[in-house]
Amino acid sequence: MSELKIMSPLSGQVWPLERIPDPVFAQKMVGDGLSIDPTDGVLIAACDGEVAALHAAGHAVTLRTPEGVELLMHVGIDTVSMKGQGFKPLVKLGDQVKAGTPLIEFDLDFLATRAKSLLTQIIVVNGERVKWLERASGYVAVGKDTLFTVALVEEAAAAATNAALTVTSEVIVIPNPTGLHARPSAVLASLAKTFQCTLKLELGGQQANLRSVTAIMALDVAQGAKVRVVASGLDAKAAVEKLSAVLAAGSGDEGCEPAPAATSTTVAKVAAPPARQRSTDPNVLMGVSASPGLAVGQVFQLRREEIRVTETGAGANAERTRLTDALGTAHGQLSALRAQLHAKREAAKAAIFAAHEELLTDPDLLDIAESAIAKGKSAAFAWKSAITTHAERLAGMRNPLLAQRANDLRDVGLRVLAILTGTTLAKAEYPPNSVLIAEDLTPSDTAALDRTRVMGFCTARGGSTSHVAIIARSLGLPALAGIEPGALEVADGTLVILDGNKGTLRLNASAEEVARIRKAQERAEQRRKDNLAHAREPAITLDGTRLEVVANIGGLKDATKIAGLGGEGVGLLRSEFLFMERSDAPTEEEQFETYKSIAQTVGQGHPLIIRTLDVGGDKPLAYLPIPKEDNPFLGERGVRVGLDRPDLMRTQLRAILRAGPFGDIRIMFPMISRLSELRDVKAMLAEEAAKLGVPLLPTGIMVEVPAAAVMAAQFAREADFFSVGTNDLTQYTLAMDRGHPKLAPQVDGLNPAVLRLIAHTVKGAEPFKRMVGVCGGIASDPVAVPILLGIGVTELSVSLPAIPAVKAQIRTLRMDACRALAERALAAESAEAVRALVPDPDAEPSTLQVKA
Ligand code: PEP
Ligand code: MG
């Protein structure tokens, strides 16, 4: 029997795997070995071998020894989320190394403050080669002590064991009406990642890596197709059972009837793409409806420039680092975008960009890019070829749903390519009243469209199920997809009518038609202008009650717009926006300067309510890793993060306190659920104020957890004001994720359960004369405004564009009528019943597009 000695690759205290605070390692799902709490920052090779894998985030490396043993060395826990920051790989894939060769350099001090743990796992991955391990304990010295000795099972015997561990499922008939498109593929890939064995999906002799969304989609698996799951490794049986069951049930797709057992006569069916329609009227171009509505405007042809890349790289290591950095930056951008969309309650759009984030870690894409880099190509060239290869494969598929996902891949590809090449993607400057026509738009293009200038758009590619169409619908922007190619030839400036319901683009519309549409648009525009003209006047009800209408803002740029729109201050500064899209937290000085500038812009006498950092849950920060949680919305979020990281909280409080003299600044804490939390943060505030020798500032809380609303009477003794965050209060009251694409329509802040909690808050605040405002989305809902007034809310904090309309609406209301309405709303049975009490004052008689 042969033995293999594994030398200690780091100095430090040895830990048994069972004590590692990560179930995947602790339960030896990866394999057996030991962990070291390192005292030095260079990981060396623990034995001779070849670099068989080097993780893109630079935090883990696998060596394959001449005996065929695979040894994983994984620095830290959850350090993949550092996206390469703090790690410097010193070797590359395929290098032959001797025991003692430095492999990865890491910044101990940097990681100590940011990573969940620095415990480094040294693990034999191919468990079938291990007869037993003899382990060291106590302190081990790098390159000197033996960490463990592996008694080896001979390779032939192990191969037999591994073969015995290969499990193939029964034939599974795919029930999904639209085959395995992006969503079910993502469900399968993320499930596959929870197993250790190799996992393939087999269709007609072809196999795809089940951990790769793009590889699964590339198999083009249609409804009725017969597939098998093939797994090799220790947990193969469990993996095959689980994945087969999920595949047979539709991989998370709705409405999938389990398919009948496979028979040799079952034939794969593919929904043929709808034949492109052609109009016989020379003035009408046909497409498919991507988003309903009617728009009149002038054609603006949008053409995309190609990003050029250099083929040859500056060495594999340098290019690998560049790609890793660019992927990290793209991750940061996408998660920030997702957080903003969630904050705006745009769950469907947020889900699209979450899928884009998943593509950034797709093993197939990364493998293609890695192999090109290893051959000396530049990171940009390697990435571009990986994206092009996959996108072309997808675009050529018969299944239209899959073909449309090629566009998502191109979008993600372009984002990373722009970062790699330092290209700023030129923002098209389109004239007012534009109807855009393009070969294709990406989801990112669409989400960034200037709604004040774009009336609608048509694309030659895409379809009604594309992500671009979903975004267009969420923007209320009429759109056509798959329009006849002739549309790309229509001259800029041509007057057109886009009918998103019928799927037509009319080129030479009759004067009456245009006039009718224009008239309705003008009426809406006039109302917007009137509201704006009176925006600076106070919002006083017909019977003389004055309401405060303030703004929800994200930073200084927003602050400059408040006065012009009639905002009377800031009811919610979402300070987390200052912390996003950066690689480290802003310093006290930076924060002070920002708060001071905002306070000066808002002006003395106008409140500026600064909410302290509200991250966690759906708002991640790359440099503040929060360990993976099963229920992030119920985990470390809002004030809980600040209490766990008092350094961050105190820095922010000092910056706000120092900005105090420059305006009417008040501090608000998010996600408060217990009195002790408020007391703890107020104690921190008092200590920092004393240290700085500055006066305290008024301190309030967000009421966004039912516990805070229920306990409002107790909170009112210690909080100076309340602001109801109905976005979160609704999700926590109804136990429905505010970002859940299916539940979103039911997550309605007008649910009487939520209204009752607001009323309870008002009642609790009353004896202490504490202000109760609302800063969640319903504060600008025209149906909610009179009800909130009737309940006794005295401040509405709304998005900037909504300010003039909310003020105008308040001027049409009477408090006694609002109170009567609120009483009926509180007694209603459902959100629908509440909505039925108030005819929507903004409802338009038609579906005409109105400038936002
Ligand atoms: C809310 O929860 O209603 C709120 C205003 O906070 P955010 O949307 O930023 O979580
Ligand atoms: Mg909230």
Side-chain angles (χ1 to χ4, degrees), residues 797-845:
S797 190
V798 301
S799 65
L800 285 165
I803 294 171
V806 170
K807 289 181 96 174
Q809 187 187 359
I810 291 171
R811 293 187 205 109
T812 66
L813 300 173
R814 285 188 172 281
M815 283 308 290
D816 46 2
C818 290
R819 280 191 278 270
L821 175 67
E823 220 169 281
R824 293 173 66 201
L826 290 169
E829 284 181 353
S830 64
E832 294 76 19
V834 173
R835 290 199 174 274
L837 296 174
V838 189
D840 181 350
D842 263 5
E844 273 287 313

Side-chain angles (χ1 to χ4, degrees), residues 577-842:
F577 286 111
L578 273 64
F579 289 71
M580 288 172 173
E581 293 204 56
R582 354 179 352 134
S583 52
D584 47 13
T587 60
E588 177 185 325
E589 208 51 36
E590 278 177 87
Q591 290 188 58
F592 162 68
E593 287 299 335
T594 308
Y595 302 141
K596 176 180 143 188
S597 308
I598 296 176
Q600 286 171 331
T601 306
V602 174
Q604 285 288 359
H606 298 281
L608 166 57
I609 299 183
I610 303 180
R611 177 173 77 183
T612 61
L613 183 63
D614 184 20
V615 290
D618 61 335
K619 300 179 197 168
L621 282 186
Y623 51 86
L624 187 71
I626 292 177
K628 193 169 164 34
E629 296 172 310
D630 284 342
N631 290 303
F633 275 120
L634 303 182
E636 277 192 73
R637 256 201 98 187
V639 74
R640 297 170 194 172
V641 175
L643 287 169
D644 188 55
R645 295 284 307 263
D647 50 328
L648 271 183
M649 176 67 100
R650 285 179 185 270
T651 304
Q652 184 172 31
L653 293 177
R654 276 197 305 274
I656 301 175
L657 284 164
R658 284 174 54 201
F662 298 94
D664 177 3
I665 296 186
R666 306 166 194 183
I667 303 181
M668 177 157 74
F669 295 101
M671 276 287 288
I672 293 279
S673 52
R674 294 174 301 138
L675 267 161
S676 62
E677 292 164 343
L678 176 61
R679 287 178 188 154
D680 288 349
V681 283
K682 280 184 75 174
M684 279 189 206
L685 185 69
E687 280 167 27
E688 296 305 324
K691 275 192 244 163
L692 289 168
V694 297
L696 278 171
L697 295 172
T699 309
I701 64 165
M702 294 280 293
V703 176
E704 47 187 353
V705 176
V710 171
M711 297 285 283
Q714 284 90 326
F715 275 107
R717 294 174 197 277
E718 299 174 44
D720 297 320
F721 61 91
F722 296 112
S723 185
V724 185
T726 47
N727 307 340
D728 277 313
L729 185 62
T730 309
Q731 85 162 342
Y732 293 126
T733 303
L734 301 176
M736 288 181 182
D737 184 338
R738 67 193 256 185
H740 196 293
K742 255 201 265 173
L743 300 176
Q746 297 164 54
V747 188
D748 188 341
L750 280 177
N751 188 298
V754 181
L755 295 178
R756 280 171 178 248
L757 286 174
I758 303 175
H760 194 77
T761 307
V762 170
K763 206 161 157 228
E766 214 269 329
F768 297 88
K769 304 268 175 284
R770 305 299 191 206
M771 177 203 86
V772 179
V774 172
C775 62
I778 67 167
S780 58
D781 181 336
V783 181
V785 168
I787 298 174
L788 294 175
L789 262 57
I791 285 175
V793 165
T794 57
E795 176 230 55
L796 295 175
S797 190
V798 301
S799 65
L800 285 165
I803 294 171
V806 170
K807 289 181 96 174
Q809 187 187 359
I810 291 171
R811 293 187 205 109
T812 66
L813 300 173
R814 285 188 172 281
M815 283 308 290
D816 46 2
C818 290
R819 280 191 278 270
L821 175 67
E823 220 169 281
R824 293 173 66 201
L826 290 169
E829 284 181 353
S830 64
E832 294 76 19
V834 173
R835 290 199 174 274
L837 296 174
V838 189
D840 181 350
D842 263 5

Side-chain angles (χ1 to χ4, degrees), residues 416-438:
V416 176
L417 213 51
I419 298 167
L420 276 169
T421 54
T423 313
T424 311
L425 294 173
K427 258 195 153 179
E429 286 297 325
Y430 20 76
N433 284 324
S434 286
V435 170
L436 303 184
I437 301 185

Side-chain angles (χ1 to χ4, degrees), residues 303-309 384 388 414 417 423 425:
R303 297 201 171 89
R304 185 186 301 292
E305 19 157 358
E306 168 106 349
I307 296 186
R308 300 201 176 279
V309 297
K384 194 173 177 183
T388 315
L414 202 62
L417 213 51
T423 313
L425 294 173

Side-chain angles (χ1 to χ4, degrees), residues 309-462:
V309 297
T310 325
E311 182 168 345
T312 313
N317 269 345
E319 296 301 330
R320 220 170 263 131
T321 309
R322 294 189 62 208
L323 181 59
T324 309
D325 288 351
L327 291 170
T329 309
H331 253 299
Q333 288 179 357
L334 285 167
S335 46
L337 185 58
R338 206 157 40 87
Q340 288 169 19
L341 292 168
H342 270 312
K344 289 198 250 162
R345 309 190 75 210
E346 300 194 36
K349 270 200 256 173
I352 291 168
F353 292 108
H356 284 198
E357 271 186 270
E358 180 80 18
L359 286 172
L360 290 175
T361 57
D362 192 281
D364 258 29
L365 277 181
L366 298 180
D367 276 358
I368 299 178
E370 167 57 36
S371 77
I373 288 177
K375 287 184 193 128
K377 307 292 181 199
S378 72
F381 183 89
W383 177 252
K384 194 173 177 183
S385 6
I387 290 289
T388 315
T389 312
H390 264 295
E392 276 169 9
R393 245 154 81 185
L394 284 177
M397 289 189 174
R398 293 161 301 163
N399 182 333
L401 213 61
L402 290 183
Q404 281 162 28
R405 292 301 169 259
N407 194 24
D408 290 281
L409 204 53
R410 288 197 195 97
D411 192 359
V412 176
L414 202 62
R415 181 180 291 277
V416 176
L417 213 51
I419 298 167
L420 276 169
T421 54
T423 313
T424 311
L425 294 173
K427 258 195 153 179
E429 286 297 325
Y430 20 76
N433 284 324
S434 286
V435 170
L436 303 184
I437 301 185
E439 177 69 35
D440 210 349
L441 288 173
T442 62
S444 304
D445 293 333
T446 318
L449 286 179
D450 179 352
R451 285 286 286 108
T452 60
R453 289 174 169 251
V454 177
M455 301 287 105
F457 67 83
C458 309
T459 59
R461 296 204 209 181

